[in-house]
Amino acid sequence: MSEMKILFCASEAAPFAKTGGLADVAGSLPESLHKLGCDVRIFMPLYRSVRDNLPSLHPVARNMIIPIGTHDYHIHLWESRTLSGTPVYFLEKDEFYDRSYLYGSPLRGDYEDNAERFIALSMGARQLCDSIGWYPSIFHLHDWQTALAAAYFQMNWRYDPKFGRSGTVFTIHNIAYQGVFPAGFFSLTNLPPSTWSLQGIEFWGQCNFMKAGLVYSDFITTVSPRYAREITTKDFGFGLEGILEERKDSLRGILNGIDVNTWDPQTDSFLPHRFSKDDLSGKKVCKEALCSRMGLENSCELPLIGMIGRLATQKGFDLLEKILPDLMKLPVNLVILGTGDTAIEEKIRDMEKLYANHLKLITRYDEEMAHLIEAGADIFLMPSRYEPCGLNQMYSLRYGTIPVVHATGGLDNSVLDVMVYPDTGTGFKFYDYEPDAFLDSVKSALDLFKEVRKWVEIQRRAMIEDFSWDKSASQYIEVYEKVLASKKGFGTRPGPKPGPIGGLV
Ligand code: ADP
C-alpha cells in the first residue's frame, strides 16, 4: 500500500482537549493508523486550555483569511506533536476558541457563535493544507463540528488538482448532536444556494451541519456496527434516519477501540495497587482505597457498583432513579462519578441523602477517580437508552469489573451476555429499556458475584478481550481504500461545478 495521507479534523482530541468519547477516538486512532503505515495528522482548535498546557507550539501560518458570511476573519495556525510524533495542527482565532469551555458554559449553555466557530474549523482544513503544502488522500471528518468540510470539498476543493484523488469520510460519534441553527445562518457558510435543499443541509427549515457530512461525504462511518443499523431507524436516527437509509451502502459501523496503554490495570499509575487476570489481589486493594475515599470503609465487604458518565438522559439515569429504592434495599454500595444535567444531579443528591451510607455521587471531572472506580468496583452499570459505542464498558471489562448494560449500540457489540452464554459471557445485558429488566439484570450479576469461582472466571474472560485500536484501525483503512478506489479518473464524477464560495474555500 502506498502511504495514505489522512487529515483528522475534529473539535477535540485527547490529550489536548476532551469532553467525551470523540476526543478518545481522535487522539488514539491516528496513532494506530500511523503504526499501519499511514501519514496521519490532526487538525483542531487552539482552545485556551490547549494553549495554556502546551509549551511547545510552533507557528505554521499567520493572518490567513477565512470568509464567514460577509466578514473576513484572520486566523493563525500552529503545530505541535503527540508523544509518538503525530503532527497536530491547531487553528487559532482568539475570540472563537480562547474560552474556558469547548462548546458552552454550564450556566449559559452553548456559545451563541458555535456556527461561526465550527464553520471556521471546517474551512480551516483547506487553509492548513495550502499552508503546509501537504494534501491528504482522505479528510476524515468527525461529528457536526467539521461536517461542513464535506460540503466544501464536494462543492469546491475537489476541483483543485491537488485534491483530485482525495476523498472524505465522515464519522458519526453521536447523531443526537447535529449542529442545527436557524435558516439565516446558512449564509454564513458561503456554500452555493444549491446546497440549501432537502438533498443538502436544509433540515425542516433549519441549517443542519451534520447533514453536510451525511449528504456530501464519500463514506460514512459510525462507532459500532449495531449503532450503524440503529441510526437508520426512527427510534435512533433523530430525524436523519431517512438519509442514512438512502446511504446505507456507504455506511459502516466500526467499533471504537480504547487506549490500552492508559487503561491497563497492570501499569495504571493512578491505582494504589496494580493487578492482572492472574493475580487479582491488587483489585481488592483498589476496592478498599475506593471505599475509604468515599467513606464506605465500614461496608467495604459489600458488592461495590460503579457508574461513570455524563449526567444526561442518554445515559439511562431515568432507569437508575426508578430502581434505586429497590437497589438500595439490597446489600450493595453504589458510587457514581459524573457531571452534566443539574436536574439529574439534584435527583441523585436527594437519593444520596436518603441512602447516605451506601450511595455516593461525585460531580466533577476526575480522571484519577474514573480509574479508581474502574479498578475498585465489582460491577459497572451502563443502562444507556442509546450508546453509539461507549468506552467505559470496555475499560470495565479490562479491569475485571463486570458490566451490566442495556443491549444497544456499542454496548451490545462489546459485551457478551453471561445469562445467554454462560461459558463465554463477559457481562450482563438487559434487552427492554425498562426499570424491571434493568433491576433483574443487576440482581443476576449480584447473584453470580456470590459464586466466587464462577465470578473470577468471568473476570478473567473479560480481562483478555482485545479492545485495542489495531483491529478497528485496519477496518478504517479498508474504508479509506474503498473511497480512494472510487476516485480513479478525476473529473469524471457527476456533480456541480465549483462555486465561488467566498473565494477561498
Ligand atoms: P460519551 O462520549 O457519550 O460521554 P463515552 O463512554 O464514549 O461517553 O466516553 C466518555 C469518556 O469520558 C470516558 O473516557 C469516561 O471515562 C470519561 N468521563 C466521563 N465523565 C467523566 C468524569 N466525570 N470524570 C472522569 N472521566 C469521565
Side-chain angles (χ1 to χ4, degrees):
M1 181 187 75
S2 66
E3 190 180 60
M4 236 189 260
K5 295 178 186 164
I6 318 290
L7 183 63
F8 263 62
C9 304
S11 57
E12 53 183 277
F16 306 104
K18 171 170 164 173
T19 66
L22 163 62
D24 291 305
V25 177
S28 307
L29 178 55
E31 305 290 338
S32 295
L33 290 168
H34 174 70
K35 275 196 252 156
L36 293 175
C38 299
D39 175 2
V40 196
R41 308 184 183 197
I42 301 169
F43 178 55
M44 61 179 286
L46 186 73
Y47 297 110
R48 181 182 296 172
S49 55
V50 177
R51 199 198 52 206
D52 291 350
N53 296 321
L54 209 61
S56 56
L57 274 173
H58 305 287
V60 169
R62 290 198 63 75
N63 283 316
M64 304 198 75
I65 288 174
I66 282 193
I68 300 180
T70 53
H71 282 77
D72 283 346
Y73 288 84
H74 289 254
I75 57 148
H76 317 298
L77 297 167
W78 297 87
E79 178 181 356
S80 182
R81 303 234 159 193
T82 64
L83 284 178
S84 59
T86 300
V88 187
Y89 300 100
F90 296 98
L91 173 70
E92 183 189 7
K93 165 93 192 74
D94 299 340
E95 67 273 28
F96 274 3
Y97 311 118
D98 185 13
R99 300 180 186 179
S100 307
Y101 300 93
L102 269 53
Y103 309 120
S105 73
L107 275 183
R108 304 182 62 182
D110 289 347
Y111 293 131
E112 280 177 8
D113 56 356
N114 272 349
E116 288 93 328
R117 297 171 80 222
F118 295 108
I119 288 171
L121 185 64
S122 300
M123 284 190 185
R126 166 72 192 269
Q127 304 281 48
L128 170 72
C129 301
D130 286 332
S131 302
I132 58 176
W134 179 87
Y135 295 92
S137 345
I138 298 284
F139 285 92
H140 191 156
L141 314 171
H142 297 266
D143 273 351
W144 71 263
Q145 292 91 343
T146 55
L148 283 178
Y152 295 134
F153 181 87
Q154 177 72 4
M155 293 295 141
N156 189 289
W157 304 351
R158 74 186 173 106
Y159 294 97
D160 181 334
K162 294 194 279 301
F163 292 112
R165 295 264 163 92
S166 305
T168 51
V169 172
F170 179 65
T171 296
I172 302 165
H173 295 263
N174 190 338
I175 205 164
Y177 301 92
Q178 300 178 0
V180 179
F181 301 95
F185 282 57
F186 176 69
S187 60
L188 295 176
T189 66
N190 284 331
L191 281 166
S194 62
T195 57
W196 182 255
S197 72
L198 204 61
Q199 298 308 321
I201 68 173
E202 190 260 341
F203 180 71
W204 300 103
Q206 292 191 294
C207 186
N208 185 320
F209 283 17
M210 179 173 270
K211 226 181 136 199
L214 304 188
V215 173
Y216 296 113
S217 63
D218 291 302
F219 205 93
I220 304 162
T221 71
T222 189
V223 290
S224 69
R226 173 147 178 176
Y227 193 59
R229 291 197 302 280
E230 287 173 341
I231 55 179
T232 61
T233 67
K234 199 164 174 284
D235 285 350
F236 294 90
F238 286 86
L240 295 175
E241 58 277 4
I243 296 157
L244 285 162
E245 174 63 27
E246 271 175 37
R247 292 217 61 194
K248 67 172 188 275
D249 292 339
S250 306
L251 168 65
R252 178 166 173 185
I254 300 175
L255 192 70
N256 280 342
I258 58 171
D259 182 337
V260 289
N261 297 319
T262 309
W263 293 93
D264 181 352
Q266 297 190 68
T267 55
D268 192 328
S269 55
F270 285 122
L271 304 185
H273 207 295
R274 292 159 200 170
F275 57 94
S276 69
K277 69 170 180 33
D278 299 317
D279 180 4
L280 286 161
S281 55
K283 187 165 172 67
K284 193 160 173 263
V285 180
C286 294
K287 180 173 179 179
E288 282 159 5
L290 178 57
C291 286
S292 111
R293 287 272 289 273
M294 304 309 303
L296 294 168
E297 54 272 47
N298 294 332
S299 57
C300 200
E301 75 292 348
L302 297 182
L304 181 56
I305 303 180
M307 195 165 170
I308 304 169
R310 285 180 292 115
L311 301 182
T313 28
Q314 177 206 335
K315 299 291 177 182
F317 285 100
D318 53 335
L319 282 196
L320 182 75
E321 234 174 79
K322 288 187 184 127
I323 72 159
L324 260 179
D326 288 319
L327 188 61
M328 288 292 112
K329 279 184 206 141
L330 305 171
V332 294
N333 287 324
L334 172 60
V335 175
I336 303 170
L337 170 66
T339 56
D341 192 328
T342 43
I344 294 177
E345 178 181 340
E346 276 164 26
K347 281 184 191 152
I348 305 175
R349 284 269 175 245
D350 289 345
M351 300 276 200
E352 194 185 25
K353 283 178 207 139
L354 272 179
Y355 308 107
N357 293 330
H358 298 289
L359 172 61
K360 303 286 174 183
L361 169 68
I362 313 162
T363 49
R364 59 172 185 269
Y365 196 90
D366 186 336
E367 202 90 18
E368 184 196 352
M369 184 52 82
H371 282 248
L372 189 59
I373 292 174
E374 288 292 4
D378 300 302
I379 293 169
F380 193 86
L381 303 186
M382 261 179 110
S384 309
R385 181 182 288 270
Y386 67 92
E387 191 60 78
C389 177
L391 296 170
N392 281 301
Q393 82 281 8
M394 294 193 265
Y395 303 153
S396 302
L397 290 164
R398 204 161 152 75
Y399 282 65
T401 302
I402 302 308
V404 175
V405 304
H406 176 216
T408 184
L411 298 175
D412 195 37
N413 289 130
S414 54
V415 176
L416 195 63
D417 192 352
V418 170
M419 302 306 282
V420 183
Y421 303 98
D423 298 329
T424 50
T426 53
F428 295 80
K429 283 185 190 173
F430 60 99
Y431 298 85
D432 296 325
Y433 190 77
E434 297 291 342
D436 288 347
F438 180 29
L439 185 62
D440 284 350
S441 200
V442 178
K443 282 181 175 167
S444 303
L446 290 168
D447 283 345
L448 215 63
F449 179 71
K450 290 181 206 139
E451 298 187 47
V452 178
R453 195 179 302 164
K454 277 194 190 160
W455 190 260
V456 172
E457 271 172 31
I458 301 171
Q459 284 182 303
R460 294 207 167 117
R461 285 204 295 268
M463 291 175 84
I464 56 170
E465 288 275 307
D466 177 12
F467 292 118
S468 68
W469 269 106
D470 300 344
K471 216 164 33 178
S472 319
S474 48
Q475 295 179 49
Y476 277 103
I477 288 185
E478 282 169 27
V479 168
Y480 300 152
E481 281 172 343
K482 198 169 176 172
V483 169
L484 293 176
S486 71
K487 298 285 167 176
K488 291 197 181 113
F490 164 66
T492 57
R493 285 174 67 200
K497 289 277 164 278
I501 316 179
L504 269 163
V505 295

